[in-house]
Amino acid sequence: MSYDPLQEAPVQTDIALLSDLWKGLADAEETVHRAVAAAVAHPEVKPPPDAELSVALADDAEVKRLNRDYRAKDKPTNVLSFPATHGPMLGDVIIAYETLVKEAADEDIAVSDHLTHLTIHGLLHLLGYDHETEAEAVTMERIETEVLASLGIKDPHATGRIMPDGPHA
């Protein structure tokens, strides 16, 4: 890759700690900022000028409530993305602590690596990427893999790995 993932991110990122559980992960905010910077440094990821992003570090109960109220799915999930309707705000990415930690343990990966992946995944959704069709999934997963590799994080799309939005084959 010919991009520098550590360059200053052109996306203003505000992080809200919605659960005290996140205090146990000392570098969570730094990890989110680094993930956003790496994602927007990728040549195919083009946020609008003066883009803003809100990332909420929540718990499973809050994510379950949001998932139920906005997606009619009465269960927690690892990451939710809610696009903004106007202005420079891209939208909100909400990450569930307990689900993040459980998935990382199940897959024997560092919690910070999984947080990085979920942050990138949520941001890509806000920028119009999706995985509803095979073609969309291939593109989104390739970008995620390339961004993560730029940070020294191994491919999360290897067979059987737990993916954002639940297990994928």
Side-chain angles (χ1 to χ4, degrees):
M1 283 285 116
S2 62
Y3 58 93
D4 178 6
L6 301 178
Q7 74 183 23
E8 184 69 25
V11 174
Q12 171 64 41
T13 305
D14 295 315
I15 302 170
L17 219 59
L18 302 183
S19 170
D20 286 341
L21 292 171
W22 286 94
K23 291 180 180 176
L25 188 58
D27 64 345
E29 292 185 44
E30 179 183 327
T31 298
V32 168
H33 283 294
R34 184 175 166 93
V36 171
V40 299
H42 188 280
E44 292 177 59
V45 178
K46 298 180 180 2
D50 301 320
E52 298 174 14
L53 172 67
S54 170
V55 177
L57 301 177
D59 58 23
D60 276 9
E62 179 64 14
V63 171
K64 178 181 178 180
R65 183 188 69 75
L66 292 167
N67 207 21
R68 180 193 65 228
D69 292 354
Y70 293 96
R71 298 180 67 224
K73 296 181 180 186
D74 194 18
K75 62 181 183 177
T77 188
N78 50 20
V79 62
L80 293 171
S81 297
F82 294 99
T85 56
H86 64 282
M89 176 59 76
L90 297 174
D92 301 298
V93 172
I94 302 98
I95 301 172
Y97 182 83
E98 297 97 325
T99 298
L100 166 84
V101 170
K102 180 184 181 318
E103 289 176 352
D106 288 348
E107 294 301 317
D108 195 27
I109 57 176
V111 172
S112 62
D113 288 356
H114 198 39
L115 174 58
T116 299
H117 182 208
L118 296 181
T119 301
I120 293 165
H121 186 86
L123 174 60
L124 289 177
H125 273 303
L126 295 178
L127 292 171
Y129 292 91
D130 212 335
H131 45 83
E132 292 298 316
T133 69
E134 183 66 22
E136 289 173 336
V138 166
T139 298
M140 188 170 185
E141 290 174 7
R142 179 183 50 74
I143 293 170
E144 287 175 357
T145 299
E146 291 172 0
V147 173
L148 290 166
S150 76
L151 295 169
I153 299 172
K154 64 183 177 178
D155 181 3
H157 300 284
T159 52
R161 297 288 301 268
I162 292 176
M163 300 308 307
D165 309 316
H168 292 220

